[in-house]
Amino acid sequence: MTPATYDVVAIGNAIVDVIARADDAFIAENGLRKGSMQLLFSTDEAEALYERMGPGIETSGGSAANTLAGLAALGLNCGFIGQVADDQLGTVFTHDMRAQGVRFDTSPRPGDPPTARCLIVVTPDGQRTMNTFLGASQFLPAGALSHDLISDAAILYLEGYLWDPEEPRGAMRRAIETAKQAGRRVAFTLSDVFCIERHRADFLSLIADGSIDILFANENELLSLEESEDFEGAVASLSARVPLLVVTRSEHGAIAVKNGERAAVPAEPIDAVVDTTGAGDLFAAGFLAGQARGRSLEDSLTIGAICAAEVISHVGPRPQADIKAMVEARLG
């Protein structure tokens, strides 16, 4: 196997986030599911919710793209594959990815629908409720894949959010084949209980056939996938079927299990939770950075916890402080 040029290449939704603050009454009045993600199925629906929201902050987002932003900030060499439209938001997203040092070569898609956007409502407790219009991102074709880029990455990282539309689902299956043929590792994040409820059989099939080498889940996603209320039982069951399982538990920290070896770390202390948008994405960035650099499970979890703590201490899904310096100060 030839050495990889890229540490991580990710395939995910190319999304611009609009983040606004609101109270719990707004959540209830608009029929939103607090702390979760729901899809908006039309431009009109997205625009109607946007009009009801208060003043917002626009920033490039998308789960896997956020993870790559964190990895790049940690000094890793990364690439992204995702579909934007040939419009203003598509130009903004492309600029933001490249400005962070991430290779992004996917050609924009002409015409409608527009570039994806995620309308995020943050309540006073810091919980984010996401309402996603997938737009152009759901039309990522297999023909847009750079197989040379995928083959040249040590880890291929895929987000469960993008599994919903048929076209990118097929593209990701093809990408897994390319990565496996090149002898690379495949990491997958379950993303949300919403995704599991719709695609449990597919996700379990990917695990059963050995397509996934590193699986990321939070506690709720783990229990949903295993259809269990027993956390330890679910960990034991799933970790026996995937080479490396990583589970985040919010304020209770995170665990990782690899070939029977288990490590756990507490959550990093912060003054206040401001916005949980991107917490899981940045945790994945830290953990993958540790693994790409050959660090132990405990060190990788610690880097993930440091990155997650940084991102929830401010509004927005990408790091604002020097997370590389923070990690070096802690672990060397």
Side-chain angles (χ1 to χ4, degrees), residues 248-263:
T248 57
R249 309 187 70 189
S250 300
E251 70 273 16
H252 302 299
I255 68 165
V257 184
K258 181 179 182 181
N259 299 325
E261 175 193 357
R262 177 165 171 162

Side-chain angles (χ1 to χ4, degrees), residues 54-119:
I57 297 171
E58 292 187 359
T59 178
S60 292
S63 177
N66 292 337
T67 296
L68 290 184
L71 282 161
L74 289 166
L76 277 73
N77 196 16
C78 304
F80 180 70
I81 299 170
Q83 190 66 66
V84 297
D86 187 11
D87 58 15
Q88 182 178 0
L89 288 184
T91 300
V92 168
F93 182 91
T94 300
H95 169 269
D96 288 351
M97 293 303 292
R98 292 175 178 171
Q100 290 174 318
V102 176
R103 176 177 169 182
F104 179 41
D105 301 329
T106 310
S107 298
R109 186 177 188 271
D112 289 328
T115 295
R117 67 285 315 269
C118 184
L119 307 178

Side-chain angles (χ1 to χ4, degrees), residues 3-326:
T5 302
Y6 293 87
D7 295 299
V8 180
V9 165
I11 302 176
N13 283 309
I15 297 178
V16 176
D17 291 341
V18 180
I19 305 171
R21 295 194 172 279
D23 55 21
D24 287 336
F26 180 90
I27 300 291
E29 289 166 2
N30 288 278
L32 308 181
R33 192 163 68 174
K34 183 176 177 178
S36 186
M37 191 280 286
Q38 67 180 20
L39 291 177
L40 304 176
F41 294 99
S42 71
T43 305
D44 289 344
E45 188 179 7
E47 289 179 349
L49 179 59
Y50 178 71
E51 288 177 1
R52 294 193 294 271
M53 292 169 61
I57 297 171
E58 292 187 359
T59 178
S60 292
S63 177
N66 292 337
T67 296
L68 290 184
L71 282 161
L74 289 166
L76 277 73
N77 196 16
C78 304
F80 180 70
I81 299 170
Q83 190 66 66
V84 297
D86 187 11
D87 58 15
Q88 182 178 0
L89 288 184
T91 300
V92 168
F93 182 91
T94 300
H95 169 269
D96 288 351
M97 293 303 292
R98 292 175 178 171
Q100 290 174 318
V102 176
R103 176 177 169 182
F104 179 41
D105 301 329
T106 310
S107 298
R109 186 177 188 271
D112 289 328
T115 295
R117 67 285 315 269
C118 184
L119 307 178
I120 302 173
V121 178
V122 180
T123 43
D125 58 2
Q127 282 294 310
R128 88 286 184 270
T129 300
M130 300 185 295
N131 307 276
T132 304
F133 174 59
L134 291 172
S137 69
Q138 63 189 317
F139 295 102
L140 175 73
L145 298 178
S146 171
H147 294 283
D148 288 343
L149 179 61
I150 294 167
S151 298
D152 204 16
I155 298 172
L156 171 68
Y157 181 67
L158 306 172
E159 65 170 85
Y161 285 129
L162 195 57
W163 200 261
D164 208 60
E166 182 177 355
E167 201 165 12
R169 189 187 320 144
M172 286 195 287
R173 288 190 184 277
R174 183 68 187 89
I176 291 171
E177 294 174 3
T178 297
K180 289 295 185 179
Q181 288 168 4
R184 308 308 190 187
R185 288 193 290 174
V186 176
F188 191 92
T189 174
L190 293 173
S191 294
D192 197 279
V193 170
F194 166 89
C195 301
I196 297 167
E197 290 172 348
R198 293 170 65 90
H199 302 290
R200 181 180 289 105
D202 270 1
F203 293 168
L204 291 174
S205 178
L206 290 173
I207 293 167
D209 67 18
S211 294
I212 299 174
D213 301 291
I214 306 171
L215 181 65
F216 289 93
N218 64 30
E219 185 169 356
N220 289 334
E221 292 158 4
L222 168 73
L223 296 175
S224 175
L225 184 69
E226 290 294 289
E227 298 183 280
S228 171
E229 296 181 358
D230 176 7
F231 176 76
E232 290 298 336
V235 169
S237 173
L238 191 52
S239 64
R241 303 179 345 252
V242 67
L244 175 51
L245 173 66
V246 185
V247 184
T248 57
R249 309 187 70 189
S250 300
E251 70 273 16
H252 302 299
I255 68 165
V257 184
K258 181 179 182 181
N259 299 325
E261 175 193 357
R262 177 165 171 162
V265 299
E268 291 289 303
I270 61 171
D271 292 335
V273 175
V274 176
D275 174 14
T276 57
T277 308
D281 304 334
L282 267 294
F283 184 93
F287 187 88
L288 289 173
Q291 289 295 287
R293 293 292 184 255
R295 287 186 177 267
S296 66
L297 288 183
E298 185 172 353
D299 278 359
S300 298
L301 288 170
T302 299
I303 300 170
I306 291 170
C307 293
E310 190 282 334
V311 83
I312 66 175
S313 66
H314 58 75
V315 174
R318 297 187 178 182
Q320 296 179 4
D322 187 343
I323 54 175
K324 183 179 180 182
M326 294 168 66

